[in-house]
Amino acid sequence: MADGRSEILTAHAAIAGLPTSDLQTIFACSTVEEGLKYLSKLDSETGSQWVTDVFDEIAQTIDQRSEKYIYTHTERQITVGSVLFDRNRQIIAKSGKGTALLEQVLLV
């Protein structure tokens, strides 16, 4: 698909400092889910935490860009929080705001 998700994953992995050979592997993955599995494999083999580092950064970026977009189009300051899931509906990452908002919802 030409939706840019693989490119976004690769870019955030590069920002997190993933080595070039691993970036190339992720970029070549057919799906983001396959890229996630590759990062998970690296984590289990090396004791790293690429999944956490990369997907936490993506969640933070979603929050910031969403808040900016909403403000630009409504001039309203809205708190946006993100929770990212894999295809098995398991949580991969939560932004700080996502965690706080989720806790508020669960307490209701």
Side-chain angles (χ1 to χ4, degrees), residues 9-90:
L9 176 60
T10 304
H12 281 281
I15 291 167
L18 193 67
T20 301
S21 61
D22 294 316
L23 291 171
Q24 291 170 337
T25 300
I26 288 175
F27 189 72
C29 288
S30 300
T31 64
V32 170
E33 187 68 24
E34 189 179 320
L36 171 61
K37 288 178 183 176
Y38 181 76
L39 288 174
S40 296
K41 179 181 165 218
L42 284 177
D43 285 353
S44 66
E45 290 175 353
T46 65
S48 58
Q49 55 181 9
W50 291 114
V51 170
T52 300
D53 294 346
V54 172
F55 282 90
D56 283 353
E57 179 58 33
I58 292 171
Q60 298 292 343
T61 300
I62 291 168
D63 290 358
Q64 293 165 1
R65 289 187 179 178
S66 298
E67 287 176 351
K68 183 178 178 182
Y69 181 88
I70 291 167
Y71 184 78
T72 297
H73 294 283
T74 67
E75 294 186 8
R76 294 182 61 173
Q77 198 69 33
I78 303 292
T79 300
V80 174
S82 301
V83 180
L84 306 180
F85 297 86
D86 65 13
R87 294 221 184 257
N88 295 319
R89 298 183 182 163
Q90 300 301 307

